Amino acid sequence: MMYRKKSVCVFVLVAVAFLSACGPTSTPVVIKETVPVKETVQVTEIVQVKETVQVPVKETVQVVVTATPEPTPVPKTGGVLIAAYATDAKGVDPHKATNFSAFRILELTYDSLLAFDKDLKVIPNLAESWEWSDDGLTLTIKIRKNVKFHSGNPLTSEDVKFSFERILDEATGAAARSYFTAIQSIDTPDPYTVVFHLSEPQVSLLAAMTNANSAIVDSKAIQAGADPAKDEVGSGPFKLVSWEPDVKLVLEKNPDFWLPGLPYLDGIEFRTIPDESSILAALRTQQVDWGIIADPRVAIAAGAAGSDLVIDRAPALSYHVMQLNASRPVFQDVRVRQAVSCAIDRQQVLDTASLGEGQVIGPVTPPYYRPPLEDLFCYTPDLEKAKQLLSEAGVTKLKFSMLTTPEEMPVTVAEAQNIQAQLSQIGVETEIETVELGVFVDRWFATDFDAVITENGGNPDPDVMLYRYWHSSGNLNSVAKYTDPEIDALLTKARTISDPEQRKAVYAEISRKLTEAAPWIWLYVGYQYRVMQPYVKGYTGLANGSAMYLRETWLDK
């Protein structure tokens, strides 16, 4: 170290190099101050600085300080998450459930063989691994050996076989039956191996096995008299311990869950708060920790200036749609359905009902498989063409009703009102019929409507979305009320093709045919919103709306 008697200007550079796996390096902070100096100081080593350094100098000194990043906090165990949704589950049988709120519960109390990660890639869940035969007709799945049902019964290959045979039994009325009709037989060579024999290759089978409708149930409990409609017979991270319908549903931690250390939470209490603005008010006053928000207007308000609420906003695969009942006299003529399609400005519906939070789409919502909108029939509104089509069909007065429910998707009423106003421009008269969710579900399954304004679930694989509605053998074709032999053939072909580009071309053709036939008027996709307190950590939202990763959520308080 050297000393000189005269004063000089010294620039001291203190650099702290910090590499951390816990987070990114913070931006350097430049601190300027003027202090007297009596000596020149030569620094010969690099030191770590955690605070402002005072150095006696005469003139301005630049000190560059790289702040140490905050370490990633270690998840804490314990605590009960208070969650809220606007609509309660309607039934707890995983193989029969159809409403979104039921899925959010079933994803936590049951397990499927496979799951999606945050990038919507299929990953192991109850299945440890899987292998296809060279001809694509045999799928062999190895399941985990340390899984117990909530009853204490071990989960084995017999439970997997029982579950899929229950799904395939038409008497069950399973929502996912069409996903698995290629399964001819199921073998269980040992307690932890399941072999599915198919009638034809089906590349979408793995994606279908991620769904809560494909959950594995406790065969021994059911054979002993348990009813899945009333009794919870799953193996998920949480157990259903009490349920006061439309008020409160309580889950508690499954201490024997197969993922070590999970779940972190002791439990989750789901409260039904019918108005989403009231859910937001409860979040703001910290009466609720985590909430499901369907209305983008409420989600946007949640993020208003000054709010410390965290908003998880995931692009949705579920789609908003106007379903026409082609079996009703009013819609039997394809030209009438086409006229309705041509008269509707889909972007206007999106902008009006959801403040533009989304994208106009056709029948296929996974981004990779979406065809260009310009390839689809009448996706540019054309009122003159709509009037011409009605004239060609000999229709001088068209009147029909639109069924909807605001309970699960609040924006559907605004969609119906906007569509009503748009159709009035071509002389079409409509009536909006708003009912509670239970009535809506019953009438939807019975196809007791002229038209429906609703939202349907999506999936990363289009086969899982389309086959059950639009193939003549699909278990929900009775709701779609439209068949076409050419679409049947294309759907059958698409599920056997392994090359993505070839599949994409087939689904583009299916989209063209469906939009031209116009049995439904596909509108748009929006976003999945989850609003939470800043102390809620570890939650991962998925584009399919799944809440399964609440099993990894914890409370930092």
Side-chain angles (χ1 to χ4, degrees), residues 23 33 47 82 96 113 127 149 187 208 223 292 321 410 446-447 465:
E33 60 180 347
V47 296
I82 306 300
K96 297 182 180 182
L113 288 175
F149 288 106
D187 292 336
Q223 289 163 350
I292 296 175
V321 65
T447 327
M465 292 180 57

Side-chain angles (χ1 to χ4, degrees), residues 335-544:
R335 292 169 295 186
V336 174
R337 302 195 303 269
Q338 288 176 335
V340 173
S341 178
C342 291
I344 294 176
D345 183 335
R346 293 161 172 83
Q347 186 64 48
Q348 185 184 127
V349 178
L350 168 58
D351 292 341
T352 302
S354 290
L355 304 181
E357 284 275 289
Q359 289 181 303
V360 172
I361 46 81
V364 176
T365 66
Y368 175 78
Y369 289 101
R370 292 181 197 173
L373 295 181
E374 56 267 25
D375 291 351
L376 304 180
F377 178 81
C378 241
Y379 263 64
T380 299
D382 190 336
L383 297 182
E384 292 307 313
K385 184 171 184 176
K387 293 175 183 178
Q388 180 185 343
L389 285 164
L390 288 178
S391 177
E392 291 173 0
V395 174
T396 55
K397 185 176 181 180
L398 180 62
K399 182 178 179 179
F400 63 91
S401 64
M402 297 184 289
L403 181 70
T404 191
T405 178
E407 289 187 38
E408 198 162 48
M409 281 307 301
V411 299
T412 56
V413 174
E415 291 168 0
Q417 291 169 342
N418 180 258
I419 289 170
Q420 182 180 58
Q422 291 197 52
L423 291 178
S424 69
Q425 297 178 78
I426 61 168
V428 174
E429 185 180 344
T430 57
E431 175 187 353
I432 300 172
E433 190 178 1
T434 303
V435 298
E436 65 94 11
L437 182 60
V439 174
F440 178 88
V441 171
D442 290 343
R443 289 185 58 183
W444 186 81
F445 271 115
T447 327
D448 180 17
F449 56 81
D450 292 334
V452 160
I453 310 294
T454 189
E455 182 182 16
N456 282 348
N459 190 278
D461 194 300
D463 177 70
V464 179
M465 292 180 57
L466 300 180
Y467 194 93
R468 61 178 179 165
Y469 286 112
W470 305 112
H471 195 280
S472 58
S473 68
N475 58 294
L476 291 180
N477 186 252
S478 59
V479 175
K481 291 294 184 184
Y482 177 80
T483 60
D484 179 337
E486 290 185 4
I487 291 177
D488 269 13
L490 288 168
L491 286 168
T492 300
K493 178 181 179 181
R495 61 172 24 184
T496 66
I497 299 172
S498 58
D499 181 80
E501 282 298 315
Q502 292 181 27
R503 290 190 86 207
K504 184 176 182 178
V506 175
Y507 283 116
E509 181 63 18
I510 292 170
S511 295
R512 285 190 288 270
K513 286 185 174 297
L514 282 173
T515 54
E516 186 172 356
W520 291 359
I521 314 301
W522 288 267
L523 300 171
Y524 66 94
V525 291
Y527 293 90
Q528 304 284 349
Y529 303 100
R530 305 293 181 260
V531 181
M532 63 201 80
Q533 304 293 348
Y535 53 74
V536 177
K537 307 291 186 181
Y539 175 73
T540 300
L542 299 183
N544 65 351

